[in-house]
Amino acid sequence: MNDRPKLSHASTDGFPMQGDRLTVGGIPLDRLAARVGQTPFYAYDRALLSQRVTELRTHLPPSISLHYAMKANPMPAVVDHMARIVDGIDVASGRELRVALDAGMDPDEISFAGPGKQAGELSQAIAAGVLINVESPTELATIARLAHESGRTARIAIRVNPDFELKSSGMRMGGGPKQFGIDAESLAELLPTIVHPLVFEGFHIFSGSQNLKAESIIDAQTKALDLAATLATHAPGPVRMLNIGGGFGIPYFPGEGRFDLAAVGAHLHALVERARTLLPEAELVVELGRYLVGEAGVYVSRVVDRKVSRGQVFLVTDGGLHHHLSASGNFGQVIRKNYPVAIGTRGEHGEREIASVVGPLCTPLDLLADRMELARADIGDLVVVFQSGAYGLTASPGHFLSHPPAVEVLV
Ligand SMILES: *Cc1c(COP(=O)(O)O)cnc(C)c1O
């Protein structure tokens, strides 16, 4: 019998209870832990990854290309899986580029963004034939030189720092002075200088991340198309690709609603129509990281001590901020809030209590749950942090205090 956890959070829906065990991909958590061979670990559910892509495809116009921004979760098995179900992969380093190519992604469908790309990384990208999203005039000159020296052409898109901001975004990455992209107002001068061996393909306008407001995303997408249409008049060739960014958010905290995918999808149908007139040759790309993988993963650690300090219960686990910085509240959050957390080896009907879940690091920042209502847990129980499929292990200071690394599995 499956009884749903009543954790008042949609994130747990993909991980139903089986008796008093939470399941991942149908496998009870204690059995999965034994199969992994250690705690702590991250487990990602491939069915949930596929389900999310299917959901996106039902709402987005068929002509929109869906790209995976793999920095959200670069585990090679995850990237392999995603490579088969999305239209392209966005990489942010030479090493990510190798993983995307290993996954079998067609180089035509790989793009490479990020400030400070090194000459070695740019040479890799040119040799692989992937699209380089150019972040500065200096980078543009370096790409031209490297392409010339190697006797190859280089596919480029200009990453534009737009003259608008993405409203109510968790992390703003465009508008105002930014280290990302080239200021829109300087492009009239720069665009005509793009000549062979550079091959101009289009624009990349990414303005922010973790946005739960559909209206803000719709607004940013509309402005991105208008800006691209204006810039196109200065471009050295037709715009064949317009990456309008992503930024779709997922709910982490109590009170946060779901992103209104249907509203954004409906707007994109209209946008695609407008783009047909404004930029008739352009492929429209949406690039998503967190929204594709964030809800498909859990982080699992084991209770190694249970102590009470002045009336407050502390569950000390073998995992913590060194594996999962964002759940500890230290990855860009202004006010610390609890991620959804549950005891994965206790049913919903037993005793409950208010407890804090902490890690083994000698810092009060190492906190996975601050005075949360949880099933009463003991040494040996498994603690689950939901919404952990994006910006988890590789976004954490794994070497801090020299504890062993976490393992990752794709179930
Ligand atoms: C990080 C990043 C993304 C992914 O952002 P999410 O919030 O994870 O969807 C997309 N595009 C670019 C250029 C990025 O740097």
Side-chain angles (χ1 to χ4, degrees):
M1 187 196 84
N2 274 14
D3 65 336
R4 293 247 147 205
K6 52 170 188 327
L7 289 162
S8 70
H9 203 290
S11 59
T12 60
D13 288 357
F15 305 95
M17 297 294 286
Q18 209 174 82
D20 56 5
R21 298 287 185 267
L22 183 126
T23 60
V24 180
I27 305 170
L29 197 62
D30 49 346
R31 179 160 171 198
L32 180 60
R35 178 179 122 169
V36 172
Q38 74 157 68
T39 52
F41 63 90
Y42 278 90
Y44 315 116
D45 182 329
R46 67 179 86 228
L48 293 178
L49 294 172
S50 297
Q51 197 179 308
R52 178 50 56 96
V53 170
T54 304
E55 197 185 331
L56 277 155
R57 300 274 193 206
T58 59
H59 289 286
L60 304 188
S63 65
I64 291 263
S65 296
L66 180 61
H67 280 211
Y68 175 46
M70 65 170 279
K71 78 172 187 288
N73 189 328
M75 183 203 185
V78 168
V79 179
D80 284 1
H81 183 79
M82 298 306 288
R84 280 184 231 122
I85 55 178
V86 297
D87 305 310
I89 293 187
D90 296 326
V91 304
S93 68
R95 209 164 140 192
E96 284 194 357
L97 174 57
R98 285 199 291 267
V99 174
L101 291 167
D102 285 349
M105 197 74 210
D106 181 349
D108 281 350
E109 312 304 333
I110 296 177
S111 58
F112 182 9
K117 297 183 199 73
Q118 304 283 306
E121 295 176 304
L122 292 169
S123 295
Q124 268 180 270
I126 293 166
V130 305
L131 180 68
I132 304 171
N133 292 332
V134 181
E135 305 267 356
S136 79
T138 307
E139 189 173 285
L140 188 68
T142 307
I143 296 166
R145 177 175 59 79
L146 293 170
H148 181 74
E149 284 168 8
S150 65
R152 300 186 179 95
T153 54
R155 300 172 53 216
I156 62 129
I158 298 294
R159 179 163 181 187
V160 184
N161 177 19
D163 44 10
F164 59 85
E165 293 214 340
L166 178 57
K167 294 187 197 102
S168 55
S169 181
M171 230 179 259
R172 279 186 197 165
M173 295 175 72
K178 286 282 170 338
Q179 74 265 52
F180 306 108
I182 303 176
D183 294 346
E185 56 277 20
S186 67
L187 285 176
E189 208 173 309
L190 189 77
L191 284 169
T193 70
I194 298 173
V195 292
H196 182 86
L198 300 175
V199 179
F200 172 80
E201 296 201 1
F203 298 109
H204 176 213
I205 307 177
F206 174 80
S207 36
S209 178
Q210 180 51 17
N211 200 313
L212 285 167
K213 292 217 171 75
E215 320 87 80
S216 315
I217 296 281
I218 288 170
D219 183 50
Q221 289 172 341
T222 306
K223 288 177 174 161
L225 175 60
D226 291 343
L227 178 56
T230 308
L231 294 174
T233 60
H234 305 285
V239 174
R240 299 187 197 285
M241 190 282 308
L242 172 61
N243 184 330
I244 57 172
F248 303 7
I250 61 173
Y252 286 98
F253 309 120
E256 287 187 335
R258 293 219 140 255
F259 181 74
D260 190 351
L261 182 60
V264 170
H267 169 257
L268 280 172
H269 278 88
L271 197 79
V272 161
E273 282 312 310
R274 248 165 40 81
R276 251 192 263 285
T277 340
L278 291 173
L279 302 170
E281 295 185 48
E283 169 199 15
L284 257 56
V285 176
V286 167
E287 54 176 3
L288 299 171
R290 186 192 314 269
Y291 194 76
L292 287 172
V293 296
E295 299 190 76
V298 290
Y299 173 63
V300 181
S301 60
R302 194 179 291 280
V303 177
V304 295
D305 196 0
R306 176 190 164 87
K307 55 192 282 190
V308 179
S309 167
R310 309 220 156 97
Q312 194 182 326
V313 177
F314 289 89
L315 303 170
V316 186
T317 71
D318 55 5
L321 80 73
H322 53 311
H323 302 150
H324 204 334
L325 187 66
S326 55
S328 76
N330 295 293
F331 189 62
Q333 295 97 325
V334 181
I335 301 164
R336 191 195 176 285
K337 292 180 197 155
N338 289 326
Y339 267 43
V341 170
I343 307 299
T345 42
R346 298 275 169 173
E348 281 297 298
H349 307 295
E351 193 187 332
R352 297 183 72 79
E353 67 180 4
I354 305 291
S356 291
V357 179
V358 301
L361 307 190
C362 298
T363 161
L365 298 177
D366 194 8
L367 185 61
L368 292 177
D370 184 21
R371 287 161 295 172
M372 256 181 110
E373 194 204 304
L374 297 168
R376 190 192 185 284
D378 246 315
I379 292 171
D381 275 311
L382 297 173
V383 176
V384 178
V385 181
F386 299 94
Q387 305 297 74
S388 297
Y391 304 109
L393 190 60
T394 60
S396 301
H399 295 285
F400 190 34
L401 271 87
S402 304
H403 283 286
V407 164
E408 294 177 288
V409 294
L410 177 63
V411 181

